Amino acid sequence: MKFEFTYEVEKVVMEVVKRTMDSMDIPVERIHEDSIILSGEIEEKEMQALSKGLAPYGIKINTGNTLSLLDQIKALIKKYVRGDYDRNISISKMLSDELGYSYSYLSNHFTSKTFTTIENFYVLIRIEKVKDLLMQEDKTLSDIAFSLNFSSVPHLSGQFKKVTGLTTTQYLKIRNNTINTI
């Protein structure tokens, strides 16, 4: 019997957090894509227990605006790729507007911390999304290119090959062979 799983990482993470909080009887007012608002205050002891309960899943708790600038940049790029922002606005303008710094400053900060550029990170995140979308049989390369703001199918294909070393067809063939052998 063959099983294939496709999932959205953000939804899985939020479900793990929600279930962990429910099991600890921590009241939640609202869950939003990348944040949770509690109904009331939580004691330090409960916060530590929650943090310990989420740690095996690689989930860290950040309160208030304690996310580092680097983490904020990464989170915004992921949201941009998901389509949470108007694609007619450039990623550089979106980052500058959201974070209140010049793009030059953000770019230098990002590169100094990661040794890669924002543009390279953006391409990597888009290619990861392409991989997910390729597994959905109802999506064509044209649909994927349009939804992820690639200028054309050849542009998407070229970026995919540059990042993965494979064409989209080769990737799907390898992926399907791997799934079939499981």
Side-chain angles (χ1 to χ4, degrees):
M1 181 178 280
K2 172 186 159 187
F3 290 101
E4 181 177 319
F5 295 93
T6 58
Y7 54 89
E8 293 182 40
V9 174
E10 289 83 8
K11 287 182 181 179
V12 172
V13 169
M14 292 310 293
E15 186 62 26
V16 166
V17 171
K18 183 182 180 313
R19 288 181 185 201
T20 302
M21 293 180 79
D22 287 347
S23 73
M24 297 177 69
D25 293 324
I26 297 173
V28 175
E29 179 180 315
R30 186 178 58 141
I31 296 180
H32 189 58
E33 292 172 8
D34 58 355
S35 63
I36 295 176
I37 299 173
L38 301 178
S39 298
E41 293 296 315
I42 184 172
E43 293 181 22
E44 182 63 30
K45 191 180 199 180
E46 290 176 303
M47 184 64 85
Q48 288 174 348
L50 179 60
S51 183
K52 188 175 181 179
L54 295 172
Y57 302 102
I59 302 171
K60 296 177 185 173
I61 299 174
N62 292 307
T63 57
N65 290 327
T66 59
L67 279 178
S68 72
L69 183 57
L70 177 63
D71 289 336
Q72 290 178 60
I73 293 168
K74 288 179 177 181
L76 286 171
I77 291 170
K78 290 175 184 177
K79 285 182 175 184
Y80 188 84
V81 170
R82 273 197 322 253
D84 294 356
Y85 289 93
D86 181 357
R87 293 274 171 77
N88 294 321
I89 297 172
S90 69
I91 194 162
S92 58
K93 178 161 179 31
M94 180 276 298
L95 288 171
S96 293
D97 290 350
E98 288 289 323
L99 297 172
Y101 295 100
S102 72
Y103 183 71
S104 175
Y105 175 80
L106 294 172
S107 180
N108 289 334
H109 178 78
F110 191 90
T111 301
S112 73
K113 301 288 185 191
T114 64
F115 305 105
T116 190
T117 65
I118 286 176
E119 292 80 9
N120 285 341
F121 182 76
Y122 173 54
V123 169
L124 291 174
I125 296 302
R126 287 200 313 176
I127 295 304
E128 287 304 312
K129 186 70 173 175
V130 168
K131 289 179 186 178
D132 291 341
L133 294 174
L134 281 172
M135 298 310 291
Q136 298 176 14
E137 293 177 9
D138 63 327
K139 299 283 186 191
T140 66
L141 273 181
S142 184
D143 293 337
I144 294 170
F146 178 77
S147 72
L148 293 176
N149 215 26
F150 285 94
S151 58
S152 64
V153 171
H155 181 230
L156 180 155
S157 298
Q159 290 289 309
F160 192 90
K161 173 107 177 165
K162 184 178 177 184
V163 170
T164 66
L166 302 168
T167 66
T168 54
T169 306
Q170 291 169 327
Y171 172 78
L172 283 172
K173 191 179 230 182
I174 291 169
R175 179 72 190 241
N176 289 334
N177 285 340
T178 303
I179 290 170
N180 289 333
T181 60
I182 295 176

